Amino acid sequence: KQWYQRRVHGTTVMAAGMGRAVLLFLLCSQPFATRGKAVLNENGYTDLVVAISPDIPENQNVIDQVKGLMTEASRELYIATRNRAYFKQVKILLPKTWTTISGDQTLEGESFETSELRIDRPSPVYGDSPYTEHGPGCGEPGDFTHITPAFLEDSTAYGNWGKVVVHEWAKLRWGVYEEHGYPGDEKFPMFFYKTTWTIDGQKNTLTPNFCLNSGIYGYEQDLVSGGPCNYNPDDRLPDQNCYYYVTEETPATSSYMSLPYLANNRQFC
């Protein structure tokens, strides 16, 4: 692994991986806001703004964690896109409520409300899980990705935190969706019966609904009781409270939008 160092107005930042350096700038918020998006130039995304909410207490650790997160995300994006893209330049936008930590430079034309990646309080719906506000349809870019300080502090439950960002970036920038089913969803169910034909005739196998390029290993669990799943008598499918947890024994290398937490899963479908 190669490491790169660059001093930007008194702040030393470091980035790692695959011969690509990511530059991180610490910026002070200004009142003039115009909507900006990261630009892909010669395989590197530049002008990506990660903004910290004024509701987040001033904390140097948050800044350091964002730097570490985006460095790892750049490395994972480079791998997932087969060397086609990485995060070349990331700007961390500090709120004006932070008074003891000074920025490297002042940035006009950016704000928390127009940033693509936002560090904010937990969501009433998703809690501390990172999520992306989707666009109006498939292939349409989203509005922003939401990340909390608690996720930055401890993301072990999600696997590689850089891969989490890449997973959300795909939704934000390219307008793709998760490639798995949901408990109780009629259109995208958690389970289905896969029909195959053998020498003994038709065989219907209960199958978890994940886009993978390998066999799947895991277990069913009722989300309410934590015990075994219940089955509907009509269609013999698990009910709306049943989820399938895929374990690391699954050797899949694709797809990123299905199970990004798997260690070997580093490719898009």
Side-chain angles (χ1 to χ4, degrees):
K1 179 185 289 186
Q2 286 183 291
W3 288 90
Y4 299 83
Q5 239 179 227
R6 173 145 183 172
R7 184 168 295 276
V8 185
H9 296 284
T11 297
T12 300
V13 297
M14 304 184 73
M18 309 304 293
R20 292 291 186 266
V22 53
L23 306 182
L24 297 117
F25 297 84
L26 208 57
L27 305 166
C28 293
S29 178
Q30 285 293 293
F32 307 100
T34 58
R35 185 168 182 80
K37 296 286 187 181
V39 177
L40 184 63
N41 182 24
E42 296 182 350
N43 296 71
Y45 281 105
T46 61
D47 294 320
L48 173 60
V49 175
V50 181
I52 301 173
S53 168
D55 295 327
I56 301 302
E58 190 166 3
N59 189 342
Q60 179 64 44
N61 288 338
V62 172
I63 297 172
D64 296 337
Q65 289 160 352
V66 169
K67 290 179 180 180
L69 173 65
M70 297 311 299
T71 297
E72 181 64 16
S74 180
R75 187 178 77 90
E76 290 296 339
L77 180 62
Y78 193 68
I79 295 170
T81 59
R82 301 178 186 179
N83 306 350
R84 293 185 178 93
Y86 67 102
F87 295 123
K88 184 177 182 180
Q89 180 194 60
V90 176
K91 302 174 182 179
I92 303 173
L93 187 63
L94 305 182
K96 290 191 288 184
T97 54
W98 288 26
T99 58
T100 62
I101 301 175
S102 60
D104 299 315
Q105 57 185 261
T106 297
L107 180 68
E108 294 184 2
E110 295 288 358
S111 70
F112 178 81
E113 289 75 16
T114 62
S115 61
E116 291 188 275
L117 271 62
R118 303 178 187 179
I119 312 300
D120 204 352
R121 296 178 298 176
S123 161
V125 177
Y126 302 103
D128 288 308
S129 298
Y131 72 92
T132 297
E133 284 289 336
H134 270 292
C138 186
E140 297 290 334
D143 293 328
F144 65 88
T145 292
H146 179 279
I147 297 171
T148 69
F151 172 82
L152 294 175
E153 185 68 30
D154 183 9
S155 59
T156 53
Y158 303 87
N160 183 310
W161 67 344
K163 291 173 69 177
V164 174
V165 171
V166 174
H167 178 258
E168 297 302 321
W169 181 256
K171 292 186 281 185
L172 178 68
R173 178 47 60 106
W174 305 316
V176 301
Y177 285 75
E178 284 91 350
E179 296 170 350
H180 58 72
Y182 301 89
D185 193 307
E186 294 184 1
K187 189 173 183 180
F188 303 105
M190 185 80 262
F191 299 89
F192 67 97
Y193 275 101
K194 182 178 181 180
T195 300
T196 56
W197 293 91
T198 70
I199 57 174
D200 297 321
Q202 180 177 329
K203 181 180 180 181
N204 297 322
T205 305
L206 183 65
T207 305
N209 193 6
F210 294 91
C211 180
L212 298 173
N213 63 352
S214 76
I216 188 170
Y217 296 88
Y219 59 93
E220 302 172 8
Q221 188 175 68
D222 189 286
L223 294 172
V224 177
S225 68
C229 291
N230 297 310
Y231 282 66
N232 297 316
D234 296 334
D235 55 17
R236 298 180 293 113
L237 287 170
D239 67 15
Q240 71 278 3
N241 296 323
C242 188
Y243 190 81
Y244 191 86
Y245 292 91
V246 182
T247 58
E248 284 291 347
E249 288 80 9
T250 301
T253 59
S254 174
S255 167
Y256 225 102
M257 301 312 296
S258 179
L259 295 164
Y261 65 82
L262 293 179
N264 293 324
N265 190 0
R266 307 179 88 174
Q267 298 178 22
F268 289 101
C269 184

